[in-house]
Amino acid sequence: MAAAAAAPRPGLALEPGLESVLREAVATPGRDGLAAAVGAVRAALAAAGGPAALGERERALLGAFLRRLAWAPGWARPEGLWQRCFLEGPPGLVLCVLLEALGSAGSGLDPRDVVGVLEQFLQQDRLSALLWEVCQPQAQAGCLELQGGLLNKIVCLPEHVSNKLQGKNPAVFFPQNYFPLLGHAVLQVLEKISDSLRGGLDCSISFVSHVLGKVCFHGWQKEILGVLVPRLTDLTKSDCIWQRICWQLVECVPDRWMEAVVLGFVQLAPGANVLSRLLGNLVVKNKKAQFVVAQKMLLLQYGHTTAVLQNLLGYLSLDSIRRTLLLRVLQELLETWSSSSAVKHSPAEQQLYISKAILICLSHLKEPEIASCRQELLTSMMEGVKCHLESSLPPLRRLGMVVAESISLNINTEGPVLKFEYEEDDETRELKSLLVQTPSLYVVPSLPDDDKSEKAGAALPVVPESNEKSYTATPVMPDEESDAELDSDDDFIPYDMSEDKELKIKAPMYIRDCIEVLTGSRSEDVDKWEATVKALESLVRRNPAATREVSVELAKILLHLEEKTCIEGFVELRQRAQVAVLTTDPIPVAKYLTSQFYSLNYSLRQRMDILDVLVLAAQELSCPKFHGKTKHSGVQKPRIQLLPGSNSSKGWRRIVDERIKSKTRRFDTGQSRVELASCPNEFNSVAGYFFFPLIQHFDRPLTTFDLLAEDHLVLGRLVHTLAVLMYLAVNTVAVTAMGKALLEFVWALRFHTDSCVRDSELC
């Protein structure tokens, strides 16, 4: 069989021309003739110098022969030789023929045989040979439609095989295995292109760029770029030719695939320096790449990590041409950050993402660049912090404070800077750390003994350079010097303070004394002031008659009372004292508080304090006092015995019932019940004084207070307060009128733009 396959057919010459051999091979009939034709074609192809020596007519004839070989019956194909004929032929032509045979129902080849040849095709690096073949100048002059079809076959090869074999394809055709293999083939082609350029030969890289773009567009960036980026990172460190090859590789990607390629490089590059070497000035040369980098990834998307943002903005800052784009990006980010519409309607995650981008941009700016746009930065900062502080969400307000502090710190390096009071958490510490550039590529290895110190140092917040002076103003003395100073003071004998006791300040005993301490000449006595604030609530509740005489005056003092010392729980102490005054004398104090809610010269915090005090006082007035005893029905009661001298003929039925009840076993006695003592609802007569003044003037704007325009947070709290007051007055006479008024009020706000107000309506 092998001898017959090796021996040429009598009608074929031994060393004829390649074209004539191919013509005779196409026309040869029968099994023996097909085997001889395979041997003759292989010999003639090797003698001609391989697939690269084929012209257009020879390629057409070879394609016809390969199709005849694929469509021939299985018994007619010489086993072992026809596979070699496919593997030794032109790779592009072979791939097209094999995929045609795989997808055609009339092919004589079994699909598993075709897939087996394709698997050998990939394992023998014929994929890189295919790409290199298309990169040749003579191939570039060919038909673009043929290159497009070949591109689809290369990128969609796993889908073709999987569709035919119904998912039972070999592991090499899994996408997670195939596209890294394709990445290695691309690297081999790029190395050949580098050698050709160094040798003065011409070649094209556009087809490789198309392959890269289409693969990334299909969603396999990590698979192919995970192979390309590490290798190209090493090759471009000190070789300018490799840098030019990388730049040309991404610049030749069509615009429809540019976004996927740029995004993949930005996500997988280990740092901004590497990204700059790989992409060059792509964002300046390509409008699509500029749109993706400068707008889409920063303003339209917010799912990228902080490392991606640092790569992206660091890439823009590493070249003088790209720095103008960095300034433009910062201006657009600040416009979005300071837009009241964006703050209201964009999610909190996007606000955090934009804030991180702003802080990273600020960390890359130089002093001349800051000086050129200082006024624009200041204007955006003032508008943005105003919008964020008006938000009803505490995270957004804290976010605005952190960004405003950072901007102020950068633009006012010598003068005063903004400083807000807020509780720091991991998010705020991360935001502040973005102002300091940290190298991402080179990590200094540490000894194993220093692991604990490293973790402790990593947990500390990074201090900006401008704040270092305040930390280094008090130098730390060495241990030896401090010990010397202590030794010099050994002659002094310390006082024995072990038996000293802290002096207790006596709190005032009368309400008017409290008023005098809080407002009068004694306000400078801090200890007396603290004792008065702590004792005021109990004093008010013990002396209701004296409180009613000065209730309105005391309510006014407590409403304007500010913390002069660091008293633990000062806000709670003041609030409890206000509630005590309001419950002691409800009508005049409620009139005063509700009138002050719509008055001038009050902060939003004071207005919300008024609402909180009204709710707590109404809850206290509406709840009955509990004076009951708990019945434990589960405890077995003793038998009832008649007292001596009692008349047993009276109450016999009660005695029988008690005996039956004492001998009855109960398996479920229920929970213990509390007998509530009935008492009048004190909120019944004063509910109208709490409710109606609050709902009366909500639509009247003031100079510093406008519920329907800017103060959405207070409006949401007002809706919730009115609802609670109506709920607490559910069994009162005025509840019907309160319900009608509240329904009209809520109905007018049902389409409010702020989510806080809508949530209050639903609650």
Side-chain angles (χ1 to χ4, degrees), residues 431-577:
L431 287 171
K432 291 182 178 181
S433 68
L434 296 178
L435 287 173
V436 181
Q437 299 183 33
T438 55
S440 58
L441 282 178
Y442 305 102
V443 179
V444 180
S446 58
L447 296 175
D449 296 338
D450 297 334
D451 288 343
K452 295 183 180 180
S453 61
E454 276 188 3
K455 293 180 181 178
L460 295 175
V462 181
V463 181
E465 295 180 358
S466 58
N467 289 346
E468 288 181 359
K469 296 180 181 179
S470 61
Y471 285 89
T472 58
T474 306
V476 179
M477 302 297 296
D479 294 339
E480 297 179 359
E481 188 174 351
S482 60
D483 292 341
E485 290 185 0
L486 291 176
D487 293 340
S488 63
D489 296 336
D490 286 344
D491 296 337
F492 296 97
I493 300 174
Y495 289 104
D496 185 12
M497 303 178 66
S498 58
E499 298 181 357
D500 289 1
K501 297 181 180 180
E502 183 180 357
L503 297 177
K504 294 184 179 181
I505 303 299
K506 189 175 181 180
M509 300 297 295
Y510 302 100
I511 299 294
R512 293 190 182 274
D513 291 342
C514 293
I515 294 176
E516 186 179 358
V517 171
L518 296 177
T519 61
S521 59
R522 300 184 186 178
S523 60
E524 297 179 357
D525 190 350
V526 177
D527 296 332
K528 191 77 172 180
W529 188 85
E530 289 185 4
T532 302
V533 172
K534 294 179 180 179
L536 185 57
E537 180 197 3
S538 60
L539 192 60
V540 168
R541 296 188 184 276
R542 289 199 306 266
N543 302 279
T547 302
R548 293 188 185 97
E549 296 177 1
V550 292
S551 59
V552 176
E553 182 182 359
L554 187 56
K556 181 179 180 180
I557 293 172
L558 291 173
L559 182 61
H560 295 85
L561 187 64
E562 295 181 356
E563 185 177 7
K564 296 181 179 180
T565 60
C566 296
I567 303 179
E568 185 178 358
F570 168 77
V571 176
E572 184 180 358
L573 291 172
R574 184 184 63 178
Q575 186 183 74
R576 288 163 56 183

Side-chain angles (χ1 to χ4, degrees), residues 142-316:
C143 180
L144 295 179
E145 294 182 0
L146 295 178
Q147 292 186 13
L150 192 59
L151 175 64
N152 290 330
K153 289 178 172 58
I154 293 174
V155 177
C156 301
L157 183 59
E159 284 83 355
H160 287 298
V161 175
S162 181
N163 289 340
K164 191 64 178 178
L165 298 184
Q166 298 299 316
K168 299 179 181 179
N169 43 324
V172 72
F173 293 103
F174 292 160
Q176 59 269 25
N177 297 329
Y178 173 75
F179 290 108
L181 184 66
L182 181 59
H184 287 291
V186 169
L187 280 176
Q188 294 176 7
V189 174
L190 293 179
E191 290 176 355
K192 292 181 180 179
I193 291 175
S194 174
D195 296 338
S196 298
L197 294 177
R198 298 176 197 275
L201 301 178
D202 191 16
C203 57
S204 175
I205 201 174
S206 61
F207 186 76
V208 181
S209 300
H210 283 63
V211 171
L212 177 63
K214 194 172 181 65
V215 171
C216 292
F217 181 75
H218 283 199
W220 303 106
Q221 297 105 317
K222 292 183 179 179
E223 282 71 17
I224 189 169
L225 292 179
V227 175
L228 291 178
V229 170
R231 180 60 178 159
L232 293 178
T233 300
D234 295 334
L235 293 173
T236 55
K237 282 183 179 178
S238 59
D239 196 330
C240 60
I241 294 181
W242 269 107
Q243 291 184 10
R244 295 288 301 274
I245 291 174
C246 289
W247 299 347
Q248 195 69 19
L249 177 67
V250 292
E251 288 173 10
C252 291
V253 175
D255 287 347
R256 61 186 182 275
W257 302 327
M258 181 62 72
E259 178 183 351
V261 175
V262 171
L263 182 60
F265 272 100
V266 173
Q267 289 177 335
L268 295 177
N273 293 327
V274 175
L275 189 63
S276 181
R277 294 203 309 264
L278 297 180
L279 298 185
N281 286 329
L282 177 67
V283 293
V284 180
K285 300 177 181 178
N286 189 283
K287 294 296 182 182
K288 179 68 174 181
Q290 186 178 124
F291 169 74
V292 171
V293 170
Q295 291 187 348
K296 190 167 187 178
M297 292 183 66
L298 296 174
L299 300 174
L300 303 180
Q301 299 174 347
Y302 56 91
H304 303 297
T305 62
T306 305
V308 171
L309 278 177
Q310 291 175 328
N311 276 357
L312 186 64
L313 298 171
Y315 160 72
L316 295 179

